[in-house]
């Protein structure tokens, strides 16, 4: 399967990495496998350089048999790829970066979140900066390719594949490798068939309130086991658990999270959608659109916190963002021309929103009223000029 090199699509995270390296002795790029971390790092250091270590390469592992000796004489940017295989390196990095006149900066790449790299936070507290990298974002590939991004997801080899069939084959192989190789590395005890069934069940819940008890019953395991696996999948960037917001209102509020498969292309594989034509007639197209736009908005808005909100009486908000001192609501609609609804009025009043944005697949941004605005999905999410 021949694909266009993803290095031809500029990544917006590259500037963030450069700025972070200028101010922090250790920078960690974290994100799922195959999302472009290595490609981004290669823009800074060649893989042929003595400053590049790939911990899935036996040669690099051998070079790091004595890590302090191998690393202390290196100057400039030093890259350690797939660092989750050697968390014991973090105490060594602390010793190196605390040297007087330290000549090096360390860029570590990991396919696991900070809590799975426990020693990084413990050993490098105050010395390490994290940057999360996802697959391609709409701002990187351009609005004209939104249908492809929505259908195939953002993983470079899936998005850039020659055909939909090639893209689907890549995603199928990714899920198989994730279940059979990646999860067992982190003590996943469920067998392969059960893990595949678990992912299929999570896809069924995509965009909905999570029911841990139902999952536990279906898998014949304890609820604590389900929660542990959910946490693992979140730390491996496969799912997002959107926590519920609740405050002192005279309404019963739902206090369970919503769940999403983070990459919409993987979600489509898990529910059996293969093409845009198939997606257009699929009963879960609304959930697919919601998850696609939700990840886009969170990536572009960079909120301090993100929540869902729902009451037992049926009022709900897809996304509640806290951005500095502003309370921002986001409704995701697949309609031609959003209009104000009674539910929107309730949400604005109950949550005391500074602004509510209705993100939809059209092309015109317009004010619905003083607080509510319609925003096209194809433009960068921005809260400037609200209402």
């Amino acid at each position: 399967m021949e694909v266009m090199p993803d290095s031809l699509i500029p990544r917006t995270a590259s500037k963030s990495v450069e700025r972070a390296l200028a101010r922090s002795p250790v920078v960690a790029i974290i994100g799922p496998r195959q999302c472009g971390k290595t490609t981004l790092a290669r823009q800074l250091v060649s893989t042929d350089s003595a400053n590049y270590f790939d911990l899935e390469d036996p040669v690099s592992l051998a070079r790091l048999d004595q890590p302090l000796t191998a690393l202390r004489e290196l100057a400039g940017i030093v890259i350690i790829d797939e660092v989750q295989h050697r968390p014991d390196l973090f105490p060594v990095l602390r010793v190196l970066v605390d040297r007087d006149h330290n000549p090096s900066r360390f860029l570590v790449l990991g396919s696991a979140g900070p809590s799975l790299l426990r020693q990084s936070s413990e050993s490098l507290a105050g010395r390490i900066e994290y940057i999360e990298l996802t697959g391609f974002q709409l701002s990187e590939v351009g609005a004209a390719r939104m249908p492809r991004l929505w259908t195939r997801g953002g993983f470079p080899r899936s998005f850039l594949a020659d055909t939909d069939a090639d893209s689907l084959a890549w995603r199928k192989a990714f899920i198989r490798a994730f279940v059979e190789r990646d999860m067992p590395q982190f003590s996943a005890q469920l067998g392969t068939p059960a893990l595949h069934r678990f992912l299929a069940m999570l896809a069924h819940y995509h965009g909905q309130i999570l029911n841990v008890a139902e999952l536990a019953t279906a898998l014949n395991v304890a609820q604590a086991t389900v929660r542990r696996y959910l946490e693992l999948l979140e730390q491996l960037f496969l799912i997002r658990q959107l926590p519920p917001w609740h405050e002192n209102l005279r309404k019963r509020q739902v206090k369970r999270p919503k769940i999403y498969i983070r990459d919409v292309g993987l979600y489509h594989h898990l529910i059996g959608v293969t093409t845009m034509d198939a997606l257009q007639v699929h009963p879960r197209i609304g959930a697919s659109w919601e998850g696609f736009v939700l990840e886009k908005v969170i990536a572009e808005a960079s909120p301090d916190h993100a929540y869902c909100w729902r009451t037992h009486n049926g009022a709900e908000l897809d996304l509640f963002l806290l951005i500095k001192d502003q309370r921002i609501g986001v409704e995701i609609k697949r309609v031609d021309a959003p209009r104000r609804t009674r539910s929107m009025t309730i949400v604005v009043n109950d949550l005391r929103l500074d602004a509510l944005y209705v993100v939809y697949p059209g092309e015109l941004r317009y004010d619905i009223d003083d607080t509510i605005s319609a925003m096209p999905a194809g433009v960068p999410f921005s809260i400037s000029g609200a209402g």
Side-chain angles (χ1 to χ4, degrees), residues 168 171-173 175 264-273:
L168 184 64
R171 283 175 272 146
K172 182 178 180 180
I175 289 292
V264 70
L266 296 182
Y267 171 61
H268 290 158
H269 163 62
L270 291 170
I271 64 172
V273 169

Side-chain angles (χ1 to χ4, degrees), residues 96-157:
L96 293 172
V97 301
D98 282 353
R99 293 175 295 176
D100 292 335
H101 310 296
N102 173 35
S104 55
R105 286 285 190 271
F106 292 93
L107 180 62
V108 298
L109 317 180
S111 301
S115 68
L116 286 181
L117 302 176
R118 293 181 182 89
Q119 294 189 46
S120 66
S121 57
E122 295 171 1
S123 302
L124 293 171
R127 304 169 179 88
I128 188 169
E129 185 170 342
Y130 292 96
I131 296 175
E132 183 178 330
L133 186 69
T134 66
F136 289 141
Q137 293 293 323
L138 187 61
S139 59
E140 296 169 331
V141 305
R145 291 197 276 186
M146 185 165 68
R148 173 185 284 205
L149 187 65
W150 179 19
T151 307
R152 297 183 177 186
F155 283 98
R157 293 190 65 83

Side-chain angles (χ1 to χ4, degrees), residues 132-376:
E132 183 178 330
L133 186 69
T134 66
F136 289 141
Q137 293 293 323
L138 187 61
S139 59
E140 296 169 331
V141 305
R145 291 197 276 186
M146 185 165 68
R148 173 185 284 205
L149 187 65
W150 179 19
T151 307
R152 297 183 177 186
F155 283 98
R157 293 190 65 83
S158 176
F159 177 79
L160 296 169
D162 289 337
T163 67
D164 286 340
D166 287 343
S167 172
L168 184 64
W170 185 90
R171 283 175 272 146
K172 182 178 180 180
F174 178 92
I175 289 292
R176 183 171 61 248
F178 183 88
V179 168
E180 297 176 2
R181 183 186 66 177
D182 295 349
M183 291 192 69
Q185 291 179 4
F186 296 97
S187 302
Q189 300 299 319
L190 288 177
T192 297
L195 287 173
H196 278 291
R197 189 166 76 252
F198 186 40
L199 293 185
M201 294 176 66
L202 292 181
H204 170 75
Y205 276 109
H206 177 91
Q208 299 182 40
I209 299 295
L210 185 62
N211 189 328
V212 171
E214 188 173 271
L215 285 171
T217 299
L219 292 169
N220 195 28
V221 297
Q223 292 187 35
T225 300
V226 170
R227 290 192 177 93
R228 186 170 70 251
Y229 275 84
L230 289 170
E231 182 179 356
L232 175 59
L233 290 172
E234 192 164 33
Q235 285 295 312
L236 294 176
F237 307 101
L238 189 80
I239 68 170
R240 179 185 297 278
Q241 294 188 80
L242 194 62
W245 174 265
H246 52 88
E247 55 185 297
N248 188 19
L249 301 173
R250 292 183 177 179
K251 295 182 178 180
R252 293 180 60 224
Q253 297 162 85
V254 176
K255 298 182 180 180
R256 289 184 292 162
K258 291 177 74 173
I259 190 166
Y260 296 89
I261 306 296
R262 290 192 57 170
D263 181 80
V264 70
L266 296 182
Y267 171 61
H268 290 158
H269 163 62
L270 291 170
I271 64 172
V273 169
T274 58
T275 64
M276 175 57 78
D277 288 342
L279 177 60
Q280 292 293 336
V281 297
H282 197 279
R284 300 305 307 279
I285 186 173
S288 168
W289 176 252
E290 180 181 328
F292 173 64
V293 174
L294 181 136
E295 289 296 326
K296 170 192 178 296
V297 169
I298 290 177
E300 293 175 350
S302 298
D304 300 315
H305 301 283
Y307 303 91
C308 62
W309 183 75
R310 177 180 291 188
T311 71
H312 286 277
N313 291 330
E316 64 178 307
L317 180 65
D318 293 327
L319 196 53
F320 178 45
L321 306 177
L322 299 179
I323 304 176
K324 296 182 180 178
D325 59 347
Q326 292 188 287
R327 297 163 68 97
I328 304 298
V330 179
E331 274 291 298
I332 301 168
K333 300 292 186 184
R334 192 172 168 271
V335 297
D336 292 335
R339 294 289 182 266
R340 183 167 60 87
T341 64
R342 181 174 179 273
S343 177
M344 292 179 190
T345 302
I346 292 172
V347 166
V348 169
N349 293 333
D350 284 359
L351 295 181
R352 307 186 309 282
L353 297 181
D354 294 293
L356 172 63
Y357 296 95
V358 186
V359 183
Y360 77 115
E363 298 181 355
L364 179 65
R365 178 168 179 164
Y366 60 92
D367 293 337
I368 296 174
D369 65 17
D370 290 343
T371 305
I372 306 172
S373 300
M375 180 180 291

